[in-house]
Amino acid sequence: MSVLYFITRSFPNVGNSSGGGALARQAQVDVLKNCGFNVKVVVPNPGGPTIEKDGILFIGFKRNKKIFSGLERIGLVGDAYYPWVKATQKYLKPKVNSNDYLLCVTGGSADTFMVGSAIKKSNGCKLILSYHDPINYTTFNGLLVDQKWFAKKDYLEKKIIANADAIFTSSNSFKNALINKYPSMANKIHNFYFGYNNKQTIGEKAYNFPLNLAYAGSFNIHQSPEIMHKVAEGLKHIKKRYLGYYENYAPIKEYINDEEFIGALDHKSFLEFAKDKIDIGFVSLTSAYLAACFPSKIFEYINLGLPILGALPESDAMDFINHNKIGKAFHYSDIAGMRSYLQNITIVDLVQQRENILKLKDSLYYTETLGGMCSQIKNLP
């Protein structure tokens, strides 16, 4: 029986993986298994041995993080996890057959794609590249993730993509950008939203002022959660809540004594907290480059029946919220627009948005959104 090797850096209960990316990888694996694929998950095990545990293959490797990060920056290696790339290639090459599949997932790193491309070349198996986010320091519509000096990786991406049998994206914005960038691969590029897993039962909800507006995500410049403070500052009918590892994020520190900072919760605790103590979910991405991404938190909020306030670039994530009337999304720079929206929001608005969410919800369960992956893989020539 053929094997589908699912190669990823992020997976639940692996290292520090615990966020939306890890849950999305789990959803992909669950769908693939339900479709009948014999899936073996492959992840890094920094500083440890190569072992198989609970159905997951941990590939051990050693590296000097500072040295390899520097080599990546100047373009001498494709990724700072290069020692893991080599260790994984060495381990898998004797095991992978021509009728096997490699499904390599990236959340911004090139390492998994590098593993898959090399083994495809040597073993002739099927190679599927799955983008959660673009590879860092490749261009998206001519843009880069930031302005740091860093060797661009478009040359590496182009070489790897040429070996792919199928390419999956998680947003239509990114799918269209990839097709424009690599038109010869257009018929191999397909979009599948990740959707949500761990389906929640949603009961009646009574909205009362003050409304609880919550940010639950990463505290970094790409999401800039301080925007929520600027949008809702001084609004007496809005209570702000921040969930996550906020302690070391400088732009938010001046607000810590003024707001309710919950800290990080495990996923189960977050779901229970959100159902009881969040009225509106805030989601943000703060650059045009990040239009390639579709925040997994949007699906999480839909699972919970929560209306959404988005601070986003022009993207299908923004269009999705506004078209389906499940909240309101603004350009991330439009602080005044978001603030006016909150100033004028009514209970009737929230009730209608929640009704729209509940009508949409079943179609966004991960088995629905990701189901098309299976037919694409099974029909590969």
Side-chain angles (χ1 to χ4, degrees):
M1 182 180 182
S2 63
V3 178
L4 189 151
Y5 293 91
F6 188 91
I7 303 172
T8 178
R9 280 257 300 271
S10 174
F11 205 72
N13 302 316
V14 171
N16 295 321
S17 301
S18 60
L23 293 173
R25 311 294 189 272
Q26 180 70 69
Q28 285 180 290
V29 167
D30 290 346
V31 166
L32 291 165
K33 286 182 176 179
N34 288 339
C35 290
F37 287 104
N38 178 21
V39 181
K40 187 178 289 291
V41 178
V42 182
V43 299
N45 191 21
T50 295
I51 57 172
E52 188 164 350
K53 181 180 179 182
D54 299 326
I56 300 176
L57 179 58
F58 294 80
I59 304 293
F61 70 102
K62 295 180 180 179
R63 66 165 180 152
N64 183 304
K65 182 178 179 180
K66 185 175 181 180
I67 289 175
F68 279 94
S69 294
L71 292 174
E72 179 190 19
R73 179 177 288 271
I74 62 177
L76 290 183
V77 297
D79 194 274
Y81 265 61
Y82 184 73
W84 178 63
V85 171
K86 301 306 290 184
T88 306
Q89 290 171 355
K90 182 179 179 180
Y91 184 87
L92 290 181
K93 277 184 178 180
K95 296 175 171 55
V96 175
N97 299 312
S98 60
N99 63 334
D100 289 334
Y101 303 87
L102 302 179
L103 197 158
C104 307
V105 189
T106 179
S109 62
D111 45 9
T112 59
F113 283 16
M114 292 166 66
V115 170
S117 182
I119 297 176
K120 164 69 186 290
K121 280 184 179 180
S122 63
N123 296 34
C125 54
K126 299 297 184 184
L127 174 62
I128 303 103
L129 305 177
S130 178
Y131 285 89
H132 192 159
D133 301 312
I135 296 172
N136 291 333
Y137 301 102
T138 58
T139 55
F140 163 71
N141 288 337
L143 303 171
L144 286 169
V145 64
D146 58 41
Q147 298 304 310
K148 294 177 182 176
W149 190 92
F150 214 105
K152 289 201 300 184
K153 296 185 181 181
D154 292 78
Y155 75 95
L156 177 63
E157 180 183 60
K158 182 177 181 180
K159 183 169 66 172
I160 290 172
I161 274 185
N163 290 325
D165 296 285
I167 300 162
F168 299 157
T169 66
S170 61
S171 81
N172 283 312
S173 299
F174 189 45
K175 172 190 171 182
N176 294 334
L178 272 184
I179 289 173
N180 289 334
K181 194 174 180 182
Y182 306 110
S184 65
M185 303 295 289
N187 65 337
K188 296 184 178 182
I189 302 174
H190 313 277
N191 184 61
F192 301 105
Y193 291 129
F194 285 115
Y196 63 87
N197 48 13
N198 201 351
K199 185 182 288 189
Q200 297 298 295
T201 301
I202 303 299
E204 297 294 325
K205 185 176 180 71
Y207 292 102
N208 297 291
F209 292 110
L211 298 169
N212 292 308
L213 174 69
Y215 174 84
S218 299
F219 284 76
N220 57 42
I221 192 172
H222 299 305
Q223 298 188 46
S224 299
E226 63 272 18
I227 289 176
M228 191 175 82
H229 174 85
K230 296 174 184 177
V231 167
E233 182 180 15
L235 299 183
K236 294 182 179 180
H237 66 293
I238 301 293
K239 184 174 183 179
K240 301 182 290 295
R241 296 176 180 268
Y242 294 89
L243 291 86
Y245 295 102
Y246 63 84
E247 292 86 354
N248 296 319
Y249 182 61
I252 209 77
K253 285 186 176 180
E254 63 181 291
Y255 311 132
I256 288 177
N257 292 330
D258 300 325
E259 314 297 349
E260 187 168 352
F261 283 76
I262 310 301
L265 300 176
D266 61 59
H267 191 241
K268 182 178 178 181
S269 299
F270 166 73
L271 293 173
E272 293 305 315
F273 180 92
K275 283 192 283 188
D276 292 338
K277 298 180 180 178
I278 299 178
D279 297 310
I280 305 170
F282 185 83
V283 62
S284 52
L285 291 173
T286 54
S287 78
Y289 178 89
L290 296 172
C293 307
F294 196 111
S296 57
K297 196 59 68 177
I298 291 175
F299 297 117
E300 191 97 77
Y301 291 148
I302 290 170
N303 186 24
L304 293 161
L306 298 178
I308 300 165
L309 175 60
L312 299 165
E314 299 288 340
S315 60
D316 56 320
M318 174 187 280
D319 294 342
F320 187 87
I321 293 169
N322 291 335
H323 175 76
N324 289 297
K325 298 180 180 180
I326 57 175
K328 185 69 175 176
F330 297 80
H331 191 271
Y332 57 84
S333 64
D334 189 5
I335 303 298
M338 286 182 273
R339 185 173 180 83
S340 176
Y341 172 76
L342 285 181
Q343 286 175 323
N344 293 291
I345 200 165
T346 67
I347 299 300
V348 172
D349 294 332
L350 294 175
V351 169
Q352 183 59 63
Q353 289 170 9
R354 185 177 172 88
E355 287 180 2
N356 295 338
I357 289 169
L358 296 182
K359 291 176 184 175
L360 187 67
K361 182 181 173 184
D362 285 347
S363 67
L364 296 172
Y365 190 47
Y366 75 97
T367 57
E368 299 294 324
T369 58
L370 292 173
M373 286 193 314
C374 297
S375 58
Q376 288 294 338
I377 297 171
K378 289 179 178 179
N379 291 330
L380 289 176

